[in-house]
């Protein structure tokens, strides 16, 4: 059975609203889950050398360039072997948290596409009504479309200071 890839972005651990909401989908899934917590396990930003490596044709890459792309390759393998991807993220200053942005930057590479039929479920938590969907939802939809994932459902919630128990 293929796994569900769970991309977590909130630094708030078990207190995280977005993580909690996504947990409901994980329960429904009931199969193997591969978790990648982009807040806890920092993903490095891309560098000039990384960009050069990514644009160098595969057969011409040096061993150093292959090493630079090793994490990106691993993130692709995690995605390609998944049946569904679930992304749980808060809104931080109108955009995604830095860890989720770093995951996207490491992942997106020219010509690399997810396998057909991949589903994505996205859970966004914001503090206020206005920014619940601003920027993060359209950004994530565009990223997912760009890598070939079109079966996307987004649930965005304004938590407005409520606690998980409320
Ligand atoms: C650094 C930081 C920046 C935030 N920026 C915004 C924002 O721009 N808009 C908003 O509506 N909420 C903002 N919030 C509130 C969070 O999005 C909100 O509390 C959300 O429910 C947190 O999700 P989580 O519990 O999954 O971490 C911010 C919170 C933090 C810690």
């Amino acid at each position: 059975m293929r796994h569900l890839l769970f991309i977590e972005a909130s630094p708030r651990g078990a207190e995280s609203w977005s993580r909690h909401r996504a947990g409901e989908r994980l329960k429904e899934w009931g199969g193997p889950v591969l978790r990648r917590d982009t807040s806890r396990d920092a993903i490095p930003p891309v560098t000039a050398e990384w960009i050069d490596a990514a644009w160098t044709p595969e057969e011409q890459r040096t061993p150093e360039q292959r090493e630079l792309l090793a994490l990106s390759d691993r993130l692709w393998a995690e995605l390609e072997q998944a049946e569904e991807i679930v992304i749980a993220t808060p809104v931080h200053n109108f955009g995604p948290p830095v860890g989720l942005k770093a995951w996207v930057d490491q992942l997106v590479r020219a010509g690399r596409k997810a396998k057909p039929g991949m589903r994505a479920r996205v859970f966004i938590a914001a503090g206020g009504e206005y920014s619940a969907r601003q920027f993060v939802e359209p950004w994530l939809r565009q990223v997912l479309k760009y890598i070939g994932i079109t079966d996307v459902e987004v649930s965005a919630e304004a938590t407005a200071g409520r606690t998980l128990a409320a």
Side-chain angles (χ1 to χ4, degrees):
M1 189 183 191
R2 288 176 174 273
H3 61 250
L4 179 151
L5 177 60
F6 184 27
I7 304 294
E8 301 163 77
S10 172
R12 298 198 323 117
E15 295 296 306
S16 158
W17 192 281
S18 56
R19 194 178 267 110
H20 177 71
R21 281 287 182 255
E24 291 162 16
R25 172 66 197 129
L26 264 59
K27 266 188 223 147
E28 274 172 22
W29 165 256
V33 174
L34 181 66
R35 305 178 85 111
R36 183 165 277 280
D37 188 335
T38 61
S39 166
R40 192 192 54 201
D41 304 318
I43 292 177
V46 299
T47 58
E49 293 77 15
W50 186 99
I51 296 166
D52 280 348
W55 284 105
T56 302
E58 196 164 354
E59 63 284 358
Q60 292 171 26
R61 282 184 198 136
T62 64
E64 292 73 22
Q65 286 181 317
R66 287 177 206 281
E67 184 54 34
L68 278 170
L69 297 177
L71 174 60
S72 177
D73 290 340
R74 190 153 73 245
L75 299 179
W76 264 107
E78 291 174 2
L79 185 71
E80 278 167 345
Q81 289 157 22
E83 186 164 322
E84 176 171 322
I85 177 170
V86 171
I87 301 174
T89 183
V91 173
H92 276 182
N93 299 315
F94 312 102
V98 66
L100 181 60
K101 178 66 165 63
W103 177 79
V104 166
D105 288 352
Q106 283 278 349
L107 187 76
V108 175
R109 273 157 64 182
R112 298 216 60 168
K113 300 285 174 205
K115 68 177 169 47
M118 166 79 83
R119 295 186 300 271
R121 300 292 176 260
V122 177
F123 296 84
I124 300 171
E129 291 293 338
Y130 173 71
S131 47
R133 286 174 182 268
Q134 291 290 324
F135 306 117
V136 175
E137 179 177 352
W139 171 73
L140 263 175
R141 282 188 182 277
Q142 186 64 35
V143 168
L144 292 167
K145 186 173 161 197
Y146 187 75
I147 62 173
I149 303 177
T150 52
D151 180 353
V152 178
E153 279 179 21
V154 177
S155 161
E157 224 172 325
T159 60
R162 281 174 291 155
T163 64
L164 282 177

